[in-house]
Amino acid sequence: MNATERSLKPILSKPSIARGLLLIFAFTAWSITGPANVALALLVALFLTEIPGQWRHLRRDPAFLLLLAVVLVTSLLAVRAAWIFPAIATDQWRAISAWSAPLLFFVIAWWLRRDPNQIWLVLGAAALGLACGVLRKSDWSLLPEILGGMRYDFGFAALGLAFLTSVVLLGLVLFRARITGLRIRGQARPGVGWVLWSLGIALSLFVLVVTQSRGAAVSLAMAGVLYVIIRRREWRRLGQQSPRQLRVALAAAALAIALAGALLWVTKHRQIEDWQAITIGSQEELSYTGSVTIRLNLIKVGLQTFAQQPLLGFGPGTSTTEFLVPERVVAVDAYQRANAPAASHLHSVAVEILTRFGLVGVLIATSLLWVLLRAYRGLWSDPRAAPDLRTFLTLGGIMLLLYCLYDFRVVNLDLRFFCILFLGVLYSFQLGRTRQPDGAEPAHD
């Protein structure tokens, strides 16, 4: 082997290629989704080459086994649904990848497990990529109307973007010291760090106010309260609490709650609209004019749909509002039949799982929650996980769970990529702790 070949070998190794693909995926996930899909596909292809040599380890990992189970079950249910509803067979085939893709967080975790320090580069690339996506996709000719109070989505789905931005804002607050202490090529660049942090805070606040998401407001308020609880528990466990630390934590929580209050104030007309829809609606049915009442009615429709196919559901690609109700496949009253199809989905991941997968979906969701809770329990005892990163992953996970209760975008690219990346960072610590039966590390390249 000559000198050139020796110099290229470490550059072209699978871990090195995976590191580059991870950064490409993180940066383009919400800015240029084409390259993001390509990078993710290449990461999966590289992972497939690892399976033969790592099968003894992989076959014991619950997240990997769950990924295989979801692909298998979703495929079988899609075949069943395509046979029952041939008119929407194409939707069933597309749904196989859409519902299975979030479980690809295992692939991200696989490539991050060897180098926890790379997590910071991936998170930074994701935040910068989202900012670039917002700036690139927005129609800035509407800025006067936006400043006048118009709700705007910046080229994204408004609720999806608000959720992503709220998690980025959480990270900016928790990682302030790291960002403002930025080092470039070994040189401290605090000025650059402060500029990036300040611009990130300003853009995040602007997006949250303009998208007017009340769910994001509630999530931020909850995150602020939980942050104080987590910090106090850590300080008591370590016996290192100081008045200054307590004041900083309380100030961060107060800012989160104040921001949530400001968002709710901006949307006060929608609170009034919801209250009127709840109180003025008929005794039999709630009105479909308010956001809250729309969701309550859609939950009712979803539960009625679930009751008619409780075991296997109607299929992973079968929409209740766009197919089952308008085609009279499910029995709902005339009021719901007239109003439910106006919504594109049931506005809840939990309810959609019930209608599409039935009790089988409940079993899968419960298994996923168990896998993630197991990873979270290990995260808080892992010395490789920095305290601020542990807090970010915990609060971000709670915000994700809340978002899945009031909206349904898990089969859309924005939330799908978030689950893959965020849960991949979390599970990388779980994989990093795994040992072979003899106590050795899993084989590396």
Side-chain angles (χ1 to χ4, degrees):
M1 182 181 295
N2 58 39
T4 302
E5 290 175 333
R6 284 196 298 270
S7 63
L8 287 176
K9 185 176 179 180
I11 297 176
L12 299 179
S13 65
K14 283 191 288 187
S16 300
I17 296 172
R19 281 194 289 270
L21 291 173
L22 281 170
L23 292 177
I24 294 173
F25 173 66
F27 182 78
T28 59
W30 302 288
S31 56
I32 316 173
T33 54
N37 280 311
V38 172
L40 181 61
L42 291 174
L43 285 168
V44 172
L46 282 177
F47 171 72
L48 292 177
T49 66
E50 295 263 291
I51 291 179
Q54 298 286 350
W55 179 248
R56 290 182 60 191
H57 166 65
L58 289 170
R59 69 182 182 182
R60 295 192 298 271
D61 189 277
F64 177 71
L65 296 178
L66 183 60
L67 170 59
L68 298 181
V70 168
V71 173
L72 176 62
V73 171
T74 305
S75 299
L76 292 175
L77 292 180
V79 171
R80 171 180 174 270
W83 179 70
I84 298 173
F85 308 119
I88 55 171
T90 303
D91 294 334
Q92 307 300 335
W93 310 140
R94 285 199 296 259
I96 296 174
S97 60
W99 281 98
S100 303
L103 276 295
L104 291 178
F105 73 80
F106 184 84
V107 175
I108 303 299
W110 181 262
W111 295 115
L112 285 176
R113 78 195 193 281
R114 297 169 175 168
D115 186 11
N117 290 327
Q118 191 186 0
I119 289 173
W120 301 111
L121 292 176
V122 169
L123 292 178
L128 287 173
L130 179 61
C132 290
V134 168
L135 296 174
R136 186 179 69 85
K137 296 180 180 182
S138 299
D139 182 358
W140 294 107
S141 66
L142 298 174
L143 186 59
E145 289 87 345
I146 293 172
L147 296 177
M150 182 185 77
R151 189 183 190 191
Y152 184 57
D153 57 16
F154 296 92
F156 293 78
L159 295 184
L161 177 60
F163 167 72
L164 294 173
T165 305
S166 65
V167 176
V168 170
L169 181 61
L170 173 69
L172 288 170
V173 172
L174 293 178
F175 304 145
R176 179 194 56 79
R178 294 182 183 275
I179 299 171
T180 56
L182 181 68
R183 300 183 70 87
I184 302 176
R185 295 182 179 179
Q187 296 286 329
R189 305 291 185 187
V192 176
W194 275 107
V195 169
L196 289 175
W197 185 83
S198 301
L199 290 175
I201 290 288
L203 181 60
S204 298
L205 293 175
F206 180 66
V207 169
L208 285 172
V209 171
V210 172
T211 52
Q212 300 180 15
S213 171
R214 292 174 292 177
V218 173
S219 295
L220 286 170
M222 183 182 298
V225 174
L226 292 175
Y227 174 66
V228 173
I229 295 174
I230 290 173
R231 294 296 292 165
R232 292 200 67 178
R233 289 191 63 181
E234 282 188 323
W235 292 330
R236 287 178 179 177
R237 179 171 58 86
L238 299 174
Q240 296 177 349
Q241 181 174 345
S242 69
R244 180 181 179 278
Q245 289 175 319
L246 181 59
R247 286 195 299 270
V248 170
L250 289 174
L255 287 174
I257 295 172
L259 176 59
L263 288 172
L264 292 174
W265 175 256
V266 168
T267 59
K268 61 182 182 297
H269 62 286
R270 294 166 61 198
Q271 271 74 265
I272 296 172
E273 182 182 66
D274 282 327
W275 177 251
Q276 290 175 342
I278 292 173
T279 56
I280 299 176
S282 68
Q283 294 181 352
E284 292 79 16
E285 301 291 349
L286 294 170
S287 168
Y288 264 91
T289 59
S291 176
V292 172
T293 50
I294 286 173
R295 283 173 167 79
L296 292 175
N297 270 321
L298 290 174
I299 289 173
K300 178 182 177 181
V301 172
L303 294 178
Q304 290 175 341
T305 304
F306 165 68
Q308 295 182 46
Q309 283 283 354
L311 183 58
L312 299 178
F314 285 91
T318 307
S319 170
T320 298
T321 55
E322 295 183 334
F323 178 76
L324 296 177
V325 170
E327 294 296 325
R328 298 175 181 266
V329 177
V330 297
V332 296
D333 56 49
Y335 178 82
Q336 301 290 9
R337 189 177 298 114
N339 291 279
S344 59
H345 50 71
L346 295 173
H347 282 277
S348 172
V349 174
V351 181
E352 287 283 0
I353 287 175
L354 288 175
T355 62
R356 298 183 188 225
F357 294 88
L359 292 176
V360 172
V362 175
L363 177 61
I364 291 174
T366 303
S367 300
L368 176 60
L369 287 175
W370 175 80
V371 167
L372 296 178
L373 288 174
R374 179 171 171 263
Y376 271 113
R377 185 179 65 178
L379 177 71
W380 283 89
S381 60
D382 193 329
R384 298 173 307 144
D388 52 355
L389 181 58
R390 285 198 298 260
T391 303
F392 171 73
L393 292 174
T394 301
L395 296 179
I398 294 172
M399 294 166 71
L400 172 61
L401 184 61
L402 178 62
Y403 179 78
C404 289
L405 294 178
Y406 70 82
D407 201 13
F408 174 67
R409 295 196 60 80
V410 73
V411 297
N412 296 87
L413 287 181
D414 51 1
L415 188 60
R416 184 194 308 179
F417 283 165
F418 177 85
C419 291
I420 292 171
L421 195 59
F422 182 86
L423 298 180
V425 171
L426 166 66
Y427 205 74
S428 67
F429 290 96
Q430 180 71 19
L431 287 179
R433 288 192 302 273
T434 305
R435 296 290 187 271
Q436 296 285 9
D438 61 1
E441 286 279 351
H444 296 352
D445 293 310

